[in-house]
Amino acid sequence: MKKIICALIMTATLVFSSFAVNVDEVELQVSGSVDSVKFENYGGPHAHIDTAEAIVNIGAGLGRHVAQDVDLTEYYEPKAKYSLIHVVDPSVAEGRDADILVLNENAGVDHIKNLRRIVTGFLQAAYDYNREDAETIATFVTVYNAVYRNQISVFQERYKPAVVAYLDADKVGLSTNWEDWAGKTQIVIPLNSMQAGLSVVDTTTITDDKVIEAMRQEEDKAIEVRENMTDIKEREAADAAERAHEAQKEAAQERKEGNVEEAKQAAAVSSEEQKIADRKNMEVRKESQAIEADKAILNGEAVPVVDKSSYLTGLFVVDGSRDLYTLITVDGKNGDIILRSPMKQIKGKTVYIVNNITLDYEGSTNLYDTMFLAVCGVNDGHSAIRLCLIDSETLELRKQSEQVLSENTEFLSHGNNYYVVIQGEGGKYVVASFDKNLKLLSQSELAVSPSTPLYEISAGLLVTDSNGTPRLLDYASLNKIW
């Protein structure tokens, strides 16, 4: 284990201003050529941690409201963190009905995965989509809303006036930066007929050429989720063809019985459903061909060998007044930025390199040769100060400690243990030791100052107790020696 090279940390502050233009936030360009939609997610520790299913249930709660009467226009949970406006207007033929998911000022979602989980839960509960289909549609819905962020004219052209009446030009769509989500987001989900079954959500609209092109800019060209969407469309086509066939039989029966008007109506339904089936089949053929072409490109391209021997990863200033830093990997030959961490709340300049870490992450066990161990976060309600393990390859947060740290904690390594000041029971602060996997090993009974230095001497750990008195603690047990 070793600290990140001090020289790099020191020079980072001096040269950071020259990087400012290059490390600006990634923004989606929707005019001209279509870029990939790169969502910037919050990368730091959280004050409150919800399970994936709890997040899905946020959307499911809104969906259950809609499911009670899908033909009713209603504004559900307008004062909650997340609201849902279900807008249907059968009196108008032109344009789409829509669901509008509103992220209010106190919305806590800060990662695209969790936002998609909310949409997934909504689609399952409102329209009885299965989990896989709902997840696929949720992915396209978020990309669609990012591509058309703030383009109110697009929504005015595509949706019914009743839908547009609820839309705000400054909020419609989805920013690619999570910091712009709460209080500034209206996610629009285009709808077909409420009786359309699998086709309740208008998959044609959310897979237009700009959306597909944005997804194709991803490194893997979003092959898997695009294939899932073509599967949905194939089933939509089959359902529409079946409805066309049934309506055709009904028209024949009505003609046989002499019911001319009813026969015309049934024939019109059959014709319309067949048009839907034909359009969906055409979309499937077009997208399947594009997917196969993209697969060929991916398979045919030689993977370039990247020389990473000159790459350097170090701390760079984010907010010097609050002692906040981030990790950035640069090419030591020319200073080009290779990668920057979404974790922008490293507290202080002490970061340790740890080796051979095994973590359970998102349902799988992952082995990491090298990770960064740091104190991360701020006390602002959304975040909390915790110990963090950061992936050395992606520079993303992979694990955070269960314990919340003092805002002014020092961070010390001794032997194989790491020492910080944590918030203990009863509002007091205590010294705690952790292993490299963030497992709590021991904590002191002695209450200490939240700003105590952690001073390493051979006999033990020198600290300042809550009364301002010097104390010496045993390294292993953190019991008081004197």
Side-chain angles (χ1 to χ4, degrees), residues 15-287:
V15 304
F16 183 77
S17 60
S18 67
F19 288 138
V21 174
N22 293 325
V23 298
D24 281 346
E25 304 300 326
V26 176
E27 290 294 335
L28 174 70
Q29 302 295 325
V30 293
S31 59
S33 61
V34 179
D35 293 338
S36 62
V37 174
K38 299 181 185 295
F39 287 105
E40 180 167 351
N41 306 297
Y42 173 66
H46 291 86
H48 306 286
I49 303 173
D50 293 318
T51 65
E53 284 307 308
I55 296 168
V56 170
N57 283 332
I58 294 172
L62 294 170
R64 284 190 286 270
H65 284 304
V66 172
Q68 290 177 1
D69 191 344
V70 295
D71 295 317
L72 176 68
T73 293
E74 190 61 71
Y75 198 152
Y76 297 106
E77 306 289 349
K79 297 182 179 180
K81 293 181 179 181
Y82 308 92
S83 303
L84 195 287
I85 310 173
H86 179 69
V87 188
V88 288
D89 185 0
S91 67
V92 176
E94 293 296 320
R96 290 278 176 248
D97 295 320
D99 286 316
I100 306 169
L101 176 63
V102 182
L103 308 188
N104 294 314
E105 291 284 354
N106 55 345
V109 65
D110 56 19
H111 198 292
I112 190 61
K113 288 182 180 179
N114 288 334
L115 183 54
R116 286 170 178 167
R117 284 169 178 147
I118 292 173
V119 177
T120 294
F122 170 75
L123 295 174
Q124 286 182 277
Y127 307 121
D128 202 28
Y129 281 97
N130 65 45
R131 183 63 171 262
E132 184 177 4
D133 288 348
E135 289 174 346
T136 298
I137 293 171
T139 299
F140 276 90
V141 163
T142 52
V143 175
Y144 167 74
N145 277 270
V147 167
Y148 293 107
R149 168 71 168 171
N150 296 141
Q151 297 189 46
I152 190 65
S153 60
V154 173
F155 294 92
Q156 289 170 336
E157 291 171 2
R158 296 181 177 180
Y159 294 85
K160 295 179 180 179
V163 173
V164 176
Y166 285 100
L167 299 180
D168 185 326
D170 294 328
K171 298 179 180 181
V172 68
L174 178 65
S175 170
T176 55
N177 187 343
W178 72 272
E179 293 180 289
D180 296 327
W181 289 358
K184 304 173 185 178
T185 303
Q186 294 176 319
I187 296 174
V188 180
I189 306 173
L191 301 176
N192 290 309
S193 167
M194 294 299 98
Q195 286 70 47
L198 181 64
S199 299
V200 170
V201 175
D202 177 16
T203 57
T204 296
T205 296
I206 61 174
T207 59
D208 70 14
D209 289 344
K210 281 193 173 183
V211 174
I212 295 297
E213 185 58 29
M215 300 181 84
R216 291 185 68 248
Q217 302 307 309
E218 297 179 21
E219 186 175 352
D220 64 353
K221 298 189 179 293
I223 295 294
E224 183 176 358
V225 72
R226 287 164 61 197
E227 286 184 324
N228 291 343
M229 179 55 78
T230 60
D231 177 67
I232 291 174
K233 288 187 175 184
E234 283 180 338
R235 285 180 278 137
E236 287 184 301
D239 288 351
E242 178 62 24
R243 290 193 296 271
H245 180 65
E246 291 299 320
Q248 189 178 44
K249 289 198 300 182
E250 181 182 349
Q253 183 62 34
E254 294 291 356
R255 282 194 292 269
K256 184 184 294 185
E257 296 176 2
N259 302 323
V260 177
E261 191 59 35
E262 288 80 355
K264 287 182 179 180
Q265 292 175 359
V269 170
S270 177
S271 176
E272 191 61 34
E273 291 293 343
Q274 189 58 51
K275 288 179 183 177
I276 294 172
D278 293 342
R279 185 179 71 244
K280 291 294 180 182
N281 281 322
M282 180 182 66
E283 291 174 13
V284 169
R285 287 193 296 272
K286 176 183 176 182
E287 182 60 359

Side-chain angles (χ1 to χ4, degrees), residues 374-440:
V375 173
C376 305
V378 294
N379 283 329
D380 62 1
H382 181 84
S383 178
I385 299 175
R386 303 178 190 268
L387 280 175
C388 297
L389 280 170
I390 300 170
D391 188 337
S392 63
E393 291 293 325
T394 66
L395 302 186
E396 295 180 348
L397 175 66
R398 289 293 180 240
K399 186 177 181 179
Q400 64 186 44
S401 64
E402 296 180 7
Q403 295 74 21
V404 175
L405 279 55
S406 163
E407 186 168 8
N408 299 310
T409 185
E410 285 205 0
F411 185 24
L412 173 70
S413 170
H414 178 82
N416 293 321
N417 297 348
Y418 301 88
Y419 297 85
V420 289
V421 178
I422 67 171
Q423 295 180 15
E425 296 180 358
K428 70 177 184 178
Y429 291 89
V430 297
V431 179
S433 65
F434 293 81
D435 68 11
K436 64 182 181 181
N437 295 297
L438 304 190
K439 178 183 177 183
L440 179 65

Side-chain angles (χ1 to χ4, degrees), residues 359-371:
L359 297 180
D360 292 327
Y361 181 72
E362 294 193 343
S364 61
T365 299
N366 297 276
L367 303 177
Y368 299 89
D369 292 333
T370 304
M371 300 193 81

